[in-house]
Each structure stands twice: as C-alpha cells, then as structure tokens.
Amino acid sequence: MIGKKIGEEGVKQKEGVQWEGHSSSMESTKAKAKKNVTLDEHIEHVQRKKGLLPIKDALGPDLPKGPSIAPLPKGPPPKPSGGPPGAPPPLPQAPPPPASSAAPPPPGGIPPQSAPAAATPSVVPQPVLVRTAPVIVQPGLLQQAQMAQVQHSRMVQQAAAQQQQAQLQQQMMHQQLLTQQLARQQAAQMQQLAAGQYMQHQQDDHLAKRVRLDDNVLIPEVEWLRRHQGTTEFTVNVLLPNQDAGDAKLNGQIVPVAVTFQDTIARIKSKITETVGLSAGKQKITSPTGVVLKEGNSLAYFNLAPGCNLTLRVKERGGKGK
C-alpha cells in the first residue's frame, strides 16, 4: 500500500469500548471490555499496578532501575535449636566484609597512584520567573476614584471650617457672658453706691431732726450770759433754701437778723416772716452743729454766739421738713 512500510499492513489497532454513561449498559460494557483483553495484557496490567513495570504514558521521569528485592519466604519462622523456651529468636548477624587483597607492589618500589576522583558538577539554581498579569484600570473607575478623593478633601475642609466656626461662636458666647456678668456687677455696685448715698442723706436728715440737747454738753444759760456781759445786741445770719414755697421769696439768700441773748427762736422766725413772707409754722431752724432749735428757748440756752450761721428749712405737709 502507498504510504506504509512493509510489515505494517497486517497490524490493526484494537478498537476501544466506550460507555455512553447509562447505568443500564454498565455490565454489558464491562463484559465487552473483558472480551478484548488477552492473558498477556492482563498479566502486564497486574505487574504495572504492583509497580514491577513502568506505567505507560506516565508524566514525569522514570523510576531508577535497581536490583529487584527478593520476596520473603512464606511459612513459620524456624525455631532455634537451643535456649530456654519462650526466649526471642536471635537476630541474624551480617556476614563479615571480604578482606581486600592488596595488590603487590610493582617492581622498583614505587607505589601505584590512585586515580583522581571525578569532580561532581555543581548545580546552579535557576531563578524562578513569576509573570504577573498587568493591572488594567478602566477610565471610569479612575475618574470615580478621583472624584471620591476630591469629595473627601472637600468634606475634610468643611468639617474644619465648621469646627472653627463653632469655636468662634463659643468664644463669642463666653465674651458675651463675661460682658453681662461685668454689667451686672457694675449695676450692683451702682445700686449699692446709690443706696449708700441715700442712706447717708437720710441719716444726716434724721440726725438733724432727732438730735437732742445734753445738759452736760451745753453751758448753762446763766454762765453763758455772765461770759457775754458786755454784749447787748448782735446779728445772726439765717441761710434760706432755694425752692418754691408759695408766696415766699426763697432763692438761697442769707438774711441777717438783729437779736439779743434773751431773745427766743420764735422772735427770729417772726423777723424772717416779715422779711421773706414765709409763715413761722413752715420754718425749721437748726444750729451750726445741726441741732433743731425749739421756739421757746433763748439764744443763750443754745449757746449761740454773735455772728453765727443758722439754717432754715421749709416744713412739708404733716410737719416734716425737707
């Protein structure tokens, strides 16, 4: 035949048995496969399965060929001839190594030189190259990552601005609280100062009203007249207030009044009525020390000296003076 060598014409390949995968045809397929296997093929298959022969079409290097291991003899182990019963059998001893026969020296007495050992070739490890697949980044994902980074930076800036604004508001609130506290303190101090001034004024006013004469302070009237025997008539100055008192002419002027030591305070009031037109019932006269002078007592009783200054106040309704 054309394209074939001599001797290959009669060789025919065996047709393999194929199973279509149905469970009903499994047994028939096994029977057909057994019919096509010869005895020699069966023996060869068993030997390959036990590892006595190399496996056909196997991947990787073949196993090294060496001396075959003789199978162990079957049957019970031999019993030892001597020794106590039940003792373990003696271990087999290895045969001694054969004595090496030394080669006779060659003529001339020069020992033979041994051949140099063959140098084993050094194995150089080959570097392992690992190829990594290139990372392909889609344009849309890159834009999304950039947008996310920009948004993150904006959020960070907004958070920082909000925090700074909150700190400024807190500082402003603290400043407002301090300002309000200072204003309250100043208002309280002003109230206290005003209250103190008012109380001092009231105390001064009431002191002028409630001062009473002490006999131990004033010199007796007879002794005061004896000290001023040569003085018959003298002048005292009366300071009038500057206020509206009806028909009276009060503009803060000073009215001089001529009196003697025996004249009473009522005589001074009558002379003031004649001068400015203020009735005696509305007059309240006090001494330079703030003592209210009663109408029935004389000037010598109050130890008033010539040229002294008296103060007149206008009484309000109800008998109270300003």
Side-chain angles (χ1 to χ4, degrees):
M1 295 181 66
I2 299 173
K4 291 186 179 181
K5 295 181 181 180
I6 299 173
E8 293 181 356
E9 298 178 359
V11 179
K12 296 182 179 181
Q13 294 182 356
K14 295 183 180 180
E15 297 180 357
V17 180
Q18 295 182 355
W19 179 45
E20 64 276 9
H22 296 283
S23 59
S24 59
S25 61
M26 184 183 295
E27 297 297 332
S28 61
T29 306
K30 286 182 179 181
K32 289 179 181 180
K34 288 180 181 180
K35 288 180 181 180
N36 295 332
V37 177
T38 61
L39 181 60
D40 295 336
E41 290 177 351
H42 180 69
I43 293 171
E44 184 180 358
H45 175 72
V46 172
Q47 289 179 354
R48 292 183 189 280
K49 190 174 183 180
K50 290 182 177 181
L52 300 177
L53 294 177
I55 302 174
K56 291 182 177 181
D57 301 332
L59 298 176
D62 296 336
L63 295 175
K65 296 181 180 180
S68 61
I69 301 174
L72 296 175
K74 297 182 179 180
K79 295 182 180 180
S81 59
L91 297 174
Q93 297 181 356
S100 60
S101 59
I110 299 174
Q113 295 181 0
S114 60
T120 57
S122 60
V123 180
V124 179
Q126 297 295 330
V128 180
L129 300 178
V130 179
R131 295 182 179 179
T132 58
V135 179
I136 300 174
V137 180
Q138 298 181 2
L141 295 178
L142 183 59
Q143 292 179 359
Q144 291 179 2
Q146 292 177 355
M147 290 295 294
Q149 187 176 3
V150 172
Q151 289 179 359
H152 178 70
S153 61
R154 289 180 180 176
M155 291 175 64
V156 171
Q157 293 176 0
Q158 290 178 0
Q162 291 177 0
Q163 185 177 5
Q164 186 176 5
Q165 187 177 3
Q167 291 179 358
L168 291 175
Q169 290 180 357
Q170 187 175 4
Q171 291 178 0
M172 292 177 62
M173 291 178 63
H174 183 65
Q175 189 69 23
Q176 289 178 359
L177 291 175
L178 289 178
T179 305
Q180 292 177 1
Q181 186 176 2
L182 290 175
R184 291 174 183 173
Q185 291 178 359
Q186 291 178 358
Q189 291 177 359
M190 293 295 293
Q191 289 179 0
Q192 291 178 359
L193 182 60
Q197 292 178 355
Y198 177 76
M199 292 297 296
Q200 185 68 27
H201 179 71
Q202 292 292 329
Q203 288 178 1
D204 294 342
D205 192 11
H206 288 290
L207 180 63
K209 294 178 182 178
R210 297 180 180 179
V211 170
R212 296 292 181 266
L213 295 175
D214 190 356
D215 295 337
N216 298 325
V217 175
L218 294 176
I219 299 173
E221 184 177 359
V222 179
E223 181 64 24
W224 187 262
L225 290 173
R226 188 182 63 80
R227 291 183 181 182
H228 297 84
Q229 290 180 0
T231 305
T232 56
E233 189 178 79
F234 57 91
T235 303
V236 295
N237 299 319
V238 181
L239 178 61
L240 302 181
N242 186 9
Q243 67 180 61
D244 186 10
D247 296 336
K249 301 177 182 180
L250 304 178
N251 53 8
Q253 70 271 29
I254 298 174
V255 178
V257 179
V259 292
T260 62
F261 286 108
Q262 287 81 12
D263 290 339
T264 60
I265 303 299
R267 182 174 176 78
I268 296 176
K269 288 184 177 181
S270 63
K271 288 186 178 183
I272 291 174
T273 302
E274 293 175 0
T275 303
V276 298
L278 182 64
S279 62
K282 293 183 178 181
Q283 298 179 21
K284 180 189 288 187
I285 300 175
T286 58
S287 68
T289 58
V291 178
V292 178
L293 304 178
K294 295 181 181 180
E295 296 180 355
N297 296 328
S298 65
L299 275 70
Y301 178 82
F302 293 108
N303 299 155
L304 296 177
C308 65
N309 297 321
L310 304 179
T311 304
L312 185 143
R313 294 185 180 181
V314 180
K315 290 183 179 180
E316 295 180 350
R317 294 180 180 179
K320 296 181 179 181
K322 289 185 180 180

